[in-house]
Amino acid sequence: MKKSLLIALILLSFALTGLAAPVIWAEESSTSLAADLSDFSFTLEGTHYSLPFAFADLAAQGWELGEEGELTPGQTTYLTMAKGEQKARVYLANVGSASQSFSEGQVVGASFDQTSIHHANKLVFPDNIQLGSLAKDMLAAYGETAETFELKDQTIYTYSFLTGQARISVGKKSGQVERVSLFAPSAALALYKEATSTESLKQNLNDPDAVRIGVLEPFSGLYAAAAQMDFQGMELAQTMVPEVLGRKIALVKADNKSDQLEAYNVAQRLVTQDKVVAVLGPHTSMLSQAAAPVFLEEKVPGIATAATSPSVTVDNPYFFRVCVTDTYQGMALAQFAMESLGAKTAAILQDLSSDYSVGLCKQFANTFKDQLGDEAIVFEGSYKAGDQDFGPQLNNLMQANPDIIFCPGNYGDCALLIKQARDLGITAPILGGDTWDNPDFLKIGGDALDQDVYFASHYNASLALTEEADRFAKAYTEKYGEEPTAYAALGYDAYMLLIDAIERAGSTDPEAIRVALLETGAFEGATGTLTFDQEGSPVKSMVITKVVDGAFVAQEATAVK
């Protein structure tokens, strides 16, 4: 890179699955967007920072280190930081990267999530434009935008300069500034895009007769770890079934960088330039919502791996998924609680900042009430992502004495909540959703999770629902030397399902593939036997998993009756 690196702004409060409502981001700002972006700076809690600056300057203000990861291989390291109830993510330049302008450890980007920053006025933007400002005030301050981009819930205004680019997202319903994003100078932007642009797997790509299938995943950014799990399943499936209709299969791999706008743009590139016949991915509902319009407009089918929001496939006959929806999951968990645990009453704790959590809780409660009456829900409480103290909610919950507790949400928040519940002497079984299917859930929750903690999962290697599940688990372990994850199983199923549809269609025509996908009947995959409803969502069993001695152990398979 030349002068600077693209400031990658990554959402901190999303769960791995589920579409959230418009999320408020607060990021670094220049002193004058309308004039010059060469001075990237922001003021936080009265301290002014101008990018790039030494990491020690930020650490000296009391921020503690958390998660560390690699944003772009060999170029940028990201660090999650915390200070009390506040959270932030900063990006550091690495020695040996494309840039010779930065020193190792210099902060070249920062991202703040207002759902964790409780006092928005601690972060200061230029021209008095703050999160919550009206769009008309923003436009008056920054002038006419060079380009706009429409998402479902937001309009993104893009300002481009020789020295960089700024994007300001405005909520369509609120009319307010909900996100401010600044990007490094255009030279760095070009280098960053070159480093993370669409790349293709080597296998079969030089064969002009190969069937080209797109893989649209967040290979960098917040969801990179989950995307890699998805892809390992797809890659394994390709080695097992490398041809279809007598032609080799070429996977065209594209990185959406965990960004909605990038997901839309990369989806277009895959379909219009790379000429793929179908697309696997993206991971997450947020990214799928952004890419879905492309599949509909270009009439090319897509199959999401872990996009669980019910709305993802609605009114889009070209978009499918291999994971069950949040609605289905909530019903399945309520059914398990009543039939297998014998619960007659339930308490609900929902994360109000997560559509995923709110949606699951609503469906769970409705199913519970339909069977046992309105009085069966004896307590309903709430919290927000990033909360550290759940004492008030748990003390009130104790008075209701429920048979079970349902609290789907981010695995980190829920692990902490469960620890505090057990410390208070609450012994009722605690149930959650598929976001708990993460090894870090065990690390954070520790021994507290060994006391009647259950969650729904798309797959568990210890409970094979089909013969294909056994075949997948054996092949995965031989190839990667470890037990397969649920996301790997979903990626595997997405690939195998698509190849099955192409075979049944007898054609690589996208429209013929779409029709064949919709007509899928009793497809045997690693995650179970599925058929599709009219919205392109699967009907199949879920695996109920229990934490036993610090490990995930499958208990039973459950399907909504």
Side-chain angles (χ1 to χ4, degrees):
M1 291 175 293
K2 301 295 183 183
K3 171 97 171 169
S4 182
L5 175 71
L6 169 67
I7 300 171
L9 302 165
I10 299 179
L11 181 63
L12 297 176
S13 62
F14 267 119
L16 289 181
T17 55
L19 174 69
V23 180
I24 300 175
W25 282 2
E27 285 107 12
E28 59 283 355
S29 176
S30 70
T31 54
S32 177
L33 284 178
D36 187 8
L37 289 177
S38 62
D39 176 25
F40 289 95
S41 62
F42 58 90
T43 301
L44 179 63
E45 297 185 310
T47 301
H48 185 75
Y49 303 94
S50 182
L51 297 169
F53 60 87
F55 173 72
D57 295 343
L58 194 58
Q61 299 301 315
W63 292 84
E64 298 179 354
L65 290 180
E67 176 192 11
E68 177 177 343
E70 193 172 57
L71 179 66
T72 50
Q75 294 185 19
T76 315
T77 296
Y78 67 79
L79 297 171
T80 301
M81 306 180 68
K83 183 179 181 182
E85 294 181 327
Q86 302 179 73
K87 293 181 181 178
R89 177 167 285 192
V90 295
Y91 304 92
L92 308 181
N94 297 345
V95 166
S97 69
S99 172
Q100 300 302 318
S101 301
F102 293 130
S103 300
E104 182 176 27
Q106 279 192 309
V107 176
V108 295
S111 176
F112 300 91
D113 182 350
Q114 193 171 333
T115 60
S116 297
I117 301 267
H118 292 268
H119 304 287
N121 60 1
K122 291 183 178 181
L123 193 65
V124 179
F125 302 130
D127 300 315
N128 295 319
I129 297 299
Q130 299 180 8
L131 296 177
S133 295
L134 294 177
K136 63 181 181 66
D137 296 332
M138 178 270 294
L139 290 170
Y142 298 152
E144 291 298 322
T145 178
E147 181 183 6
T148 61
F149 176 76
E150 299 292 336
L151 294 178
K152 181 179 178 181
D153 299 315
Q154 294 179 325
T155 299
I156 299 177
Y157 296 85
T158 302
Y159 296 86
S160 297
F161 307 87
L162 290 177
T163 50
Q165 186 184 84
R167 292 177 186 167
I168 299 178
S169 300
V170 173
K172 291 183 177 179
K173 291 184 179 179
S174 67
Q176 296 176 329
V177 174
E178 295 180 337
R179 183 174 63 186
V180 178
S181 306
L182 290 183
F183 297 83
S186 55
L189 178 62
L191 278 167
Y192 182 89
K193 285 191 172 181
E194 180 182 350
T196 58
S197 62
T198 300
E199 61 173 336
S200 299
L201 294 181
K202 295 179 181 179
Q203 299 98 317
N204 309 329
L205 283 170
N206 293 325
D207 184 348
D209 191 48
V211 177
R212 299 170 71 84
I213 296 172
V215 179
L216 177 58
E217 289 279 12
F219 290 107
S220 63
L222 183 61
Y223 305 115
Q228 187 57 34
M229 295 179 205
D230 280 356
F231 184 65
Q232 284 181 328
M234 297 174 194
E235 189 177 43
L236 172 64
Q238 189 194 22
T239 63
M240 297 170 70
V241 183
E243 296 185 359
V244 63
L245 301 180
R247 297 163 60 186
K248 295 178 181 179
I249 298 169
L251 293 181
V252 183
K253 187 179 175 186
D255 182 12
N256 61 46
K257 306 172 191 173
S258 301
D259 178 82
Q260 287 175 288
L261 180 57
E262 194 68 17
Y264 179 90
N265 291 336
V266 173
Q268 279 195 319
R269 187 162 67 243
L270 281 171
V271 172
T272 61
Q273 297 180 25
D274 293 318
K275 303 298 182 182
V276 299
V277 301
V279 176
L280 302 176
H283 190 96
T284 83
S285 298
M286 173 190 74
L287 299 172
S288 294
Q289 288 279 20
V294 175
F295 305 141
L296 180 61
E297 293 164 8
E298 302 296 336
K299 301 190 184 319
V300 172
I303 304 176
T305 53
T308 59
S309 171
S311 63
V312 166
T313 60
V314 172
D315 297 328
N316 190 338
Y318 289 86
F319 206 25
F320 301 81
R321 65 179 121 207
V322 289
C323 59
V324 299
T325 66
D326 296 338
T327 299
Y328 191 94
Q329 188 177 162
M331 295 169 66
L333 284 162
Q335 185 174 293
F336 168 75
M338 292 183 289
E339 297 182 0
S340 298
L341 298 182
K344 302 297 183 183
T345 61
I348 289 176
L349 280 170
Q350 60 184 338
D351 174 4
L352 289 179
S353 66
S354 165
D355 279 2
Y356 166 82
S357 179
V358 172
L360 255 69
C361 286
K362 179 180 179 180
Q363 193 59 57
F364 181 95
N366 288 342
T367 304
F368 220 77
K369 291 176 182 178
D370 287 345
Q371 295 293 317
L372 302 173
D374 291 350
E375 65 278 5
I377 303 299
V378 295
F379 175 82
E380 293 185 73
S382 63
Y383 64 95
K384 289 186 178 181
D387 284 353
Q388 301 290 309
D389 181 10
F390 301 97
Q393 298 96 319
L394 292 172
N395 279 308
N396 289 332
L397 182 152
M398 288 178 67
Q399 304 305 312
N401 192 31
D403 292 335
I404 62 100
I405 300 167
F406 185 56
C407 60
N410 176 274
Y411 65 83
D413 295 331
C414 292
L416 183 60
L417 185 153
I418 293 169
K419 287 180 68 174
Q420 294 180 21
R422 297 313 188 211
D423 287 344
L424 287 172
I426 297 174
T427 59
I430 301 178
L431 281 64
D434 60 324
T435 55
W436 293 7
D437 194 355
N438 188 307
D440 288 339
F441 179 60
L442 298 173
K443 296 176 183 177
I444 298 170
D447 294 341
L449 303 186
D450 284 329
Q451 305 173 44
D452 282 330
V453 172
Y454 304 85
F455 63 90
S457 177
H458 303 278
Y459 169 86
N460 188 299
S462 65
L463 180 61
L465 301 182
T466 63
E467 291 184 5
E468 187 66 15
D470 283 328
R471 179 171 174 248
F472 161 72
K474 180 180 179 181
Y476 186 95
T477 302
E478 289 177 354
K479 182 175 177 62
Y480 297 110
E482 59 187 15
E483 189 174 277
T485 63
Y487 289 147
L490 289 169
Y492 177 91
D493 278 358
Y495 179 97
M496 290 298 197
L497 174 65
L498 177 58
I499 302 309
D500 176 72
I502 294 174
E503 289 281 7
R504 286 186 285 110
S507 170
T508 57
D509 174 66
E511 180 61 26
I513 296 172
R514 181 194 73 81
V515 173
L517 282 169
L518 191 59
E519 294 176 347
T520 297
F523 170 80
E524 270 202 17
T527 61
T529 301
L530 70 82
T531 57
F532 283 118
D533 63 21
Q534 289 303 306
E535 297 290 355
S537 295
V539 178
K540 62 177 181 178
S541 296
M542 294 203 75
V543 177
I544 301 299
T545 298
K546 183 180 182 181
V547 179
V548 179
D549 295 330
F552 294 145
V553 179
Q555 298 297 292
E556 64 180 70
T558 182
V560 174
K561 297 177 181 178

